[in-house]
Amino acid sequence: MKTSVKLEITHGLLTGVAVLAIAFLISGAGIIILGTVKQQPTNDDGGNPLLFDRATISIEEFKIDAEVADSFEEVQMGLMHRTHLPDNQGMFFVFPDPRQSCMWMKNTLIDLDVAFIDVDFKITHIASMSQGSTRIHCPPKPTPYALEMNAGWFHSSGIAAGSVVAISTDNPNKIERDVRAP
């Protein structure tokens, strides 16, 4: 007699489906357990299992559809595990503590550029980051915000330090809160 059990497992940020096949041998020889675990399917744009709020970012004549990472978990996850970032899309980070506005690319599968943004919504620094690198990229001074885009986007768009960023969102309190560098 064979019995199959389907079990859904939830742990932290990952949801998986584990399929366990348990074979009971009538002869009393023992129990065999086989299993596989799959990560939760990603959203349509190749993203990770977190559901981010969205905002429209305007820099000069460019409009960017951005996911907003504003919780500790979202900032830590960022664009990890993505295999693709569509053109004119990015991720806008609201750092819980501007003193910790450094970035790295661990578990990130695409090359990105990051623009660090000050409390006046001006870009202060842009860094290029290579996929999978553990090199730490920090702005010259703490910044409360950052915008990650595909590698080369800022340069090819003529965006540089000093450019002003405008943000439009359904929930402006998430972004325009009182964030001050120490």
Side-chain angles (χ1 to χ4, degrees), residues 8 10 15-16 19 26 28 40-41 46 54 97 102 107 110 116 120 132 149 157 164 175:
E8 183 166 322
T10 302
T15 302
V19 179
I26 302 240
Q40 176 185 12
R54 298 192 89 80
D97 181 350
C102 296
N107 297 322
I110 52 178
F116 294 98
D120 297 320
M149 298 292 291
S157 301
V164 177
I175 295 170

Side-chain angles (χ1 to χ4, degrees), residues 5 33 38 44 61-63 74 81 84 92 95 107 111-113 122 127-128 139 151 159 168 175 179:
V5 179
I33 300 176
K38 295 181 181 177
D44 292 340
E61 73 270 13
F62 299 98
K63 298 246 186 255
E74 290 171 343
H81 308 292
H84 174 255
F92 186 79
F95 296 109
N107 297 322
D111 293 337
L112 298 170
D113 287 350
K122 284 187 182 176
S128 295
I159 306 298
S168 173
I175 295 170
V179 179

Side-chain angles (χ1 to χ4, degrees), residues 5-80:
V5 179
K6 185 175 180 179
L7 176 67
E8 183 166 322
I9 300 172
T10 302
H11 183 270
L13 297 175
L14 298 178
T15 302
V17 176
V19 179
L20 302 176
I22 302 173
F24 295 96
L25 302 177
I26 302 240
S27 66
I31 299 174
I32 301 171
I33 300 176
L34 305 171
T36 60
V37 177
K38 295 181 181 177
Q39 184 175 347
Q40 176 185 12
T42 59
N43 50 17
D44 292 340
D45 65 359
N48 56 48
L50 288 175
L51 297 176
F52 295 90
D53 288 330
R54 298 192 89 80
T56 300
I57 310 286
S58 299
I59 309 173
E60 298 178 15
E61 73 270 13
F62 299 98
K63 298 246 186 255
I64 301 155
D65 176 28
E67 293 173 283
V68 177
D70 67 342
S71 70
F72 178 80
E73 292 80 14
E74 290 171 343
V75 168
Q76 293 299 310
M77 177 62 71
L79 292 170
M80 283 183 179

